[in-house]
Amino acid sequence: KRDATTTASWSTTTRTVTLPAQPSFWQSVAALNGQGVSAVAFSPAFTQDQTVFVGVSNGIFRTTDGGATWARVAAMGGYDVESIALSPAFATDRTGFAMSNGNGIWRSTDGGATWAKVRSGGGFSIATSPAFATDRTVFAADVYRVYKSTDGGTTWTTSTSGMDSEVVANGDIRGLAVSSAYASDRTVYATTFSFGVYRSSDAGATW
């Protein structure tokens, strides 16, 4: 017998069900086989520029043709790239940031073709303000503290005010997320490995 909707078939004699063949929706990216990939970021203008970045165990790869071909655009000294954040206005300002686990914060201002270190250290997360084009704000977590820049990554301040002392001592800070309404609510969240989630409602000054 056969089900007309799903095209599955079954046999009352052998008591077996045969399911229809399923299409393959996932395909391995051959150019990245063997790489330990820990971060991925789509260009906000992907429909037009077909650009994607991936962070691997020894740098960053970029595609500008929707994934058909990939090229390494940064080496980062052999350290894992844990997070990549692109400016919401990437189509015009061509700015992106990457956080490595041990070799600092990196920035590109030419669409990801070249990268330069803007701060030492290392961590797991970096995030831009949704209004980056005007406020130039970036947040980064290096496990011991949260960094903030308001000039596009050139200079940085730090804050852990309000966080448990053990969070700082243990290097527990992991993830960051910036509110979509950051321009008005000034809200940022930071996750920790074993001490929950912290919220800042004053643009990262206190938690």
Side-chain angles (χ1 to χ4, degrees):
K1 298 181 179 181
R2 180 176 294 275
D3 181 90
T5 302
T6 65
T7 71
S9 61
W10 62 93
S11 170
T12 56
T13 303
T14 62
R15 297 182 181 180
T16 58
V17 176
T18 303
L19 298 175
Q22 297 296 312
S24 177
F25 294 105
W26 291 90
Q27 297 177 344
S28 175
V29 178
L32 300 175
N33 283 349
Q35 297 286 344
V37 179
S38 49
V40 61
F42 274 78
S43 162
F46 177 77
T47 302
Q48 291 76 41
D49 62 28
Q50 295 287 286
T51 298
V52 185
F53 296 89
V54 296
V56 301
S57 56
N58 55 359
I60 297 174
F61 279 80
R62 178 184 68 166
T63 177
T64 56
D65 55 14
T69 61
W70 296 80
R72 187 191 301 274
V73 290
M76 310 239 171
Y79 288 85
D80 291 357
V81 175
E82 301 289 353
S83 181
I84 299 171
L86 303 180
S87 162
F90 181 78
T92 53
D93 65 27
R94 313 298 287 158
T95 300
F97 296 90
M99 172 64 90
S100 70
N101 187 11
N103 198 20
I105 302 168
W106 294 66
R107 176 179 63 188
S108 173
T109 56
D110 58 7
T114 61
W115 296 77
K117 186 191 292 187
V118 292
R119 188 173 181 93
S120 59
F124 292 94
S125 186
I126 194 160
T128 59
S129 160
F132 177 82
T134 54
D135 65 25
R136 309 293 290 167
T137 298
V138 190
F139 292 91
D142 80 341
V143 308
Y144 295 107
R145 61 192 65 81
V146 176
Y147 290 105
K148 177 184 176 182
S149 172
T150 56
D151 57 10
T154 300
T155 61
W156 300 81
T157 58
T158 64
S159 176
T160 54
S161 178
M163 289 187 175
D164 190 290
S165 60
E166 289 189 61
V167 171
V168 179
N170 294 342
D172 244 33
I173 303 170
R174 291 296 186 269
L176 291 170
V178 182
S179 165
S180 59
Y182 175 80
S184 58
D185 66 25
R186 319 301 282 169
T187 300
V188 186
Y189 280 82
T191 66
T192 69
F193 183 69
S194 54
F195 289 86
V197 178
Y198 283 85
R199 178 180 65 192
S200 173
S201 55
D202 55 9
T206 60
W207 299 86

